[in-house]
Amino acid sequence: MTTHTQTQAATDADAQLKARHAAMWALGDYAAVAREVIPGLGRVLVDACRIAPGQDVLDVAAGTGNAAIPAARAGAHVVACDLSPDLLEIGRGLAVEAGLRLDWRQGDAEALPFGDASFDVVMSSVGVMFAPQHGPAADELVRVARPGATIGLASWTPQGFIGQMFAAMRPYAAPPPPGAQPPPLWGDEGHVRELLGTRVEQLTAQKRALPVHFDHPEDFRDFFKRTYGPTISTYRGIAGEPDKVAALDAALVDLARDHQDASGDMVWEYLLVTARRT
């Protein structure tokens, strides 16, 4: 009875955590981030995975379809899966506007609602990296991939701009749940190799640079305060502490200033990984 009670409590806590994560990503306007800041990232991943007409493709933690929609445009049969129904609904509308048909499915990256060996390509563009438990998420990527399938990932690196942004926000954010690992670890080649292990072969990893432009450092800060769920959530947590708000404001402006050139251009580093399921 005690074991059952403890198991049920753990299950309930996990469900609550996932509900909070889904709500966090629905804050603000992630579609604007995908459209205005990282519009080309999904296309890069699709090209790296060599997605072809007729393939069965799964985009994990797909958001509003930054990679899923280009994959469908390439002629693949695409399932876009995400924890947040709000983001899926936006993506569904964008696909309709583009005249493309995709299957939009709500699902947890740590427990994907698909059978074993279901897809020719399993990919994620700065998405699965935000699942709290890296091991179970990696296990799921492999499980749903057919033998010989391509697994493709684009993830922000720990030392790159977004990795440093999360480091700057960490002192002001709520503590992570027990066992959760930092998202930018997916941008470390050694970590990804350890997660996937011998279940994949021909793994290649390249650090790439995404060009991003904001006219002023304050424009970056204000845009992310308005649109990006993790940043919005962090500010909400310190809303009653003006000194902390001012300190985080300054930290984000300093970060952007350190990475911008005179014209406002920045490069955001990410790790592009492709591998073949053994």
Side-chain angles (χ1 to χ4, degrees):
M1 181 64 69
T2 301
T3 300
H4 173 75
T5 302
Q6 290 173 340
T7 301
Q8 186 59 50
T11 300
D12 292 345
D14 185 65
Q16 293 169 8
L17 171 63
K18 298 305 170 61
R20 291 197 298 272
H21 269 228
M24 178 190 70
W25 286 107
L27 295 172
D29 186 3
Y30 186 75
V33 178
R35 181 180 65 249
E36 300 177 30
V37 182
I38 59 169
L41 195 56
R43 179 75 252 181
V44 169
L45 183 59
V46 168
D47 289 344
C49 291
R50 298 182 180 179
I51 291 174
Q55 286 186 315
D56 295 317
V57 175
L58 174 64
D59 185 8
V60 179
T64 57
N66 181 258
I69 289 175
R73 190 172 285 119
H77 307 300
V78 180
V79 179
C81 182
D82 197 272
L83 193 62
S84 170
D86 299 69
L87 297 187
L88 292 173
E89 189 60 30
I90 295 170
R92 186 178 290 111
L94 294 173
V96 170
E97 291 177 10
L100 298 169
R101 295 189 63 179
L102 294 82
D103 182 8
W104 300 86
R105 296 278 300 277
Q106 185 178 7
D108 180 359
E110 297 175 10
L112 292 170
F114 310 106
D116 296 353
S118 295
F119 298 95
D120 301 308
V121 177
V122 180
M123 64 179 182
S124 186
S125 177
V126 294
V128 73
M129 63 181 291
F130 291 102
Q133 307 284 345
H134 294 190
D139 291 346
E140 286 295 274
L141 294 177
V142 174
R143 180 184 66 80
V144 301
R146 291 171 179 150
T150 297
I151 295 174
L153 305 166
S155 308
W156 304 120
T157 65
Q159 65 274 17
F161 183 84
I162 294 296
Q164 292 186 36
M165 183 189 79
F166 276 97
M169 293 194 302
R170 190 175 301 123
Y172 308 96
Q181 295 174 278
L185 275 179
W186 280 89
D188 179 85
E189 180 180 347
H191 184 66
V192 177
R193 286 186 180 275
E194 182 177 353
L195 288 172
L196 299 177
T198 59
R199 299 173 297 180
V200 302
E201 57 189 5
Q202 300 176 29
L203 188 151
T204 64
Q206 296 179 319
K207 288 182 179 179
R208 298 278 190 93
L210 180 74
V212 175
H213 178 87
F214 286 95
D215 288 339
H216 306 286
E218 292 81 5
D219 295 335
F220 154 76
R221 178 200 61 200
D222 294 344
F223 180 84
F224 268 63
K225 285 179 70 171
R226 184 177 70 252
T227 63
Y228 195 59
T231 307
I232 295 169
S233 179
T234 300
Y235 271 99
R236 286 188 176 185
I238 59 173
E241 302 176 82
D243 290 347
K244 288 186 177 181
V245 171
L248 181 53
D249 277 347
L252 293 180
V253 167
D254 289 344
L255 177 66
R257 184 177 292 115
D258 288 345
H259 282 76
Q260 282 183 317
D261 63 20
S263 65
D265 291 336
M266 292 188 276
V267 289
W268 292 5
E269 186 180 76
Y270 65 96
L271 186 72
L272 181 65
V273 171
T274 58
R276 186 171 300 278
R277 175 73 166 98
T278 54

